[in-house]
Amino acid sequence: MESSSADLSPSKPSWFTPERLLVIFCAINLINYVDRGAIASNGVNGSRGSCSKSGTCTSGRGIQGDFNLNDFEDGVLSSAFMVGLLVACPIFASLAKRANPFRLIGVGLSVWTVAVVGCGFSINFWSITICRMLVGVGEASFISLAAPFIDDNAPVAKKTLWLGMFYMFIPTGYAAGYVYGGLVGDHFSWRYAFFGEAVLMLPFAILGFVIKPLQLKGFSPAESKKALTSMEIASLEVQDSDVSVVKGSMKSSKSKCAFVDLKEVSRFMKDLKVLLLEKVFVVNVIGYITYNFVLGAYSYWGPKAGYSIYNMTNADMIFGGITIFCGIVGTLAGGYALDSINSTIPNAFKLLSAATFVGAVFCFSAFCFKSMYVFLALFAIGELFVFATQAPVNYICLHCVKPSLRPLSMAMSTVAIHLFGDVPSSPLVGVLQDQINSWRKTALILTSILFPAAAIWFIGIFMHSVDRFNEESEHPEVTTTDISDTAPLLDRKAAGTTETSAEP
């Protein structure tokens, strides 16, 4: 009797706490954006060889020098990851409904690790471009799942602050990548920068395959999904029972595949339609796209522009240091501010509009001064306000849709801001610079685009919005029993432990 009761008793609290979950996601996000910053750094990206009118020639360095890339090709290289992201993001968001999300993350990060190693071994423009495309798969595997997990498990009074902690590693990672790429590229070779990134990401790829499943709010437990799958297969077998013995097995397998594929596609299209009809989501993402158009070009061309306009011999270090400080302080301040004034969608839009407008004023003014020190002071203040938007904008993406649509919301938001934002901005700014040949004018034109972003988010303040975080899932496979069990796994473990301790 004692042994049987011991077997039925709940297990001890897991090592896997909400705080450790946050740390893991932050570390993955950091490494991913270190890679983005490294490939944009002068140490890794480098420059083409050139010859003066007097006949003196200097050899190229880095990726651009080794492969003799023009500015447009260089900009394409920075955006190539979007191909993998665009294809994989919706797939991972859909698969999260019937597969362990951490297995999906493990698969994606494994592809990321192999692709980064491939970048180090690349031999020409096309080989490194293909590898950069595969790098996007890694981001797709976790970006649509990390924010919903954090939102589920964060303390109620600190939800936006926790999101801010996660998203602060975007600018911090970029900035650390500038410094990392500059050091490794200048002292060793740009290829070793990619090898080092792969070593850092490998443990997290392995962790994705060994970690226990976690439950997302709004989704039915894995057990009920398995039962549903069995019922679907049984139903198909009954439908195919009248088929002849000779052709039965072939037709049955084909009909099953077609049924499952059509059902998944139909469900995805239905969810996507619901998402795109949500006006708050659409306005928020349009503002985010406009904002990210500027930030993407800043992150890629910033060191080169600083070097050209203000003769910064150590532009990687300067821009990296400013962005690390402003990214951490600004992003955390934005999350804390929204929690302080009450986390609602209208308040998030107010914070987005105000912070972006003030940040745009300071950044635009910075490029108008010829003094490097005045520029750095004004630009740093501008970045503090600009980075304050990270937590509020993603808070809106998470809370303007039902819990079951959050992974898709994050996936589509990520695809949109890259596809229409930072992906085209890097090559377009490169083309603009090739035409006008003045980094100061290019930077002023680019920075002015932040003002329309502030205006778009300002419109969101006056839109009717509903926080749907606590709305139940309407998926037909989630039964009444399932819905009652859709609390986050980490919370259920805590609840189970409490109940156990209360028993006599």
Side-chain angles (χ1 to χ4, degrees), residues 63 67 69 77 80 114-135 190-191:
I63 296 173
F67 300 149
L69 307 181
L77 186 62
V114 173
V116 167
V117 172
C119 290
F121 286 113
S122 57
I123 57 175
N124 54 32
F125 169 71
W126 287 110
S127 62
I128 194 171
T129 300
I130 292 172
C131 289
R132 297 306 300 174
M133 292 177 184
L134 294 175
V135 166
W190 61 266
R191 298 180 185 273

Side-chain angles (χ1 to χ4, degrees), residues 397-419:
C397 286
L398 288 169
H399 286 253
C400 71
V401 298
K402 295 179 180 180
S404 59
L405 289 180
R406 289 181 303 164
L408 184 62
S409 173
M410 297 307 300
M412 291 297 100
S413 170
T414 302
V415 169
I417 64 173
H418 289 314
L419 182 61

